[in-house]
Amino acid sequence: MNPYIYVLSVNGLLLFFSLLFYFFPPTKINGLYGYRTNKSMQNEDIWNFANQFFNKTLLIYTAIALVAALLFVFVTNVEITWQPMVLMLLSLAVSVIKTEQALSQNFDDEGKRKKQ
């Protein structure tokens, strides 16, 4: 398979979904669409904050992962196999970790906003 097609099918598809989530965020708490964790689904305020923050960070990190994967393909002559997948998983993991940290910094365990 052409390495550019492989990168676009893995990292490009995730970038497409991050754009979709960014421009069409979920409006109500649901079990199908959006950033769904126990903490993010406690109330509407946390839900809106978590989805806005996650969508923004996911968009940034998937764009970085796509560019990095394309540069990797362009610069190296090795056959790519797992490298784009690792970049995709790292961008997802970083987005989730950063969102959970932001939730912990802005909301208490009961779902109320912390005083700043």
Side-chain angles (χ1 to χ4, degrees):
M1 174 185 267
N2 184 329
Y4 292 103
I5 292 174
Y6 178 56
V7 166
L8 290 176
S9 67
V10 173
N11 299 85
L13 189 62
L14 187 62
L15 181 62
F16 171 76
F17 282 121
S18 67
L19 285 167
L20 186 70
F21 291 152
Y22 184 78
F23 287 112
F24 302 104
T27 54
K28 295 180 182 176
I29 298 173
N30 65 77
L32 296 174
Y33 181 68
Y35 182 77
R36 300 175 320 271
T37 61
N38 289 335
K39 188 162 190 163
S40 70
M41 296 174 79
Q42 282 182 345
N43 61 44
E44 287 288 329
D45 190 27
I46 296 175
W47 176 258
N48 293 330
F49 177 86
N51 277 284
Q52 181 182 17
F53 191 89
F54 178 76
N55 293 342
K56 184 176 135 185
T57 56
L58 183 65
L59 183 62
I60 291 168
Y61 287 108
T62 55
I64 291 169
L66 177 64
V67 170
L70 287 172
L71 281 173
F72 181 77
V73 169
F74 183 73
V75 171
T76 64
N77 285 334
V78 299
E79 180 179 349
I80 60 166
T81 53
W82 52 270
Q83 298 89 344
M85 288 288 190
V86 168
L87 290 171
M88 179 191 71
L89 290 173
L90 282 173
S91 63
L92 282 170
V94 169
S95 298
V96 168
I97 291 168
K98 286 186 149 297
T99 302
E100 288 300 316
Q101 288 174 342
L103 287 175
S104 295
Q105 290 173 355
N106 290 289
F107 296 94
D108 61 14
D109 291 335
E110 297 170 359
K112 298 177 185 170
R113 277 196 183 262
K114 291 182 178 177
K115 307 253 180 190
Q116 304 248 350

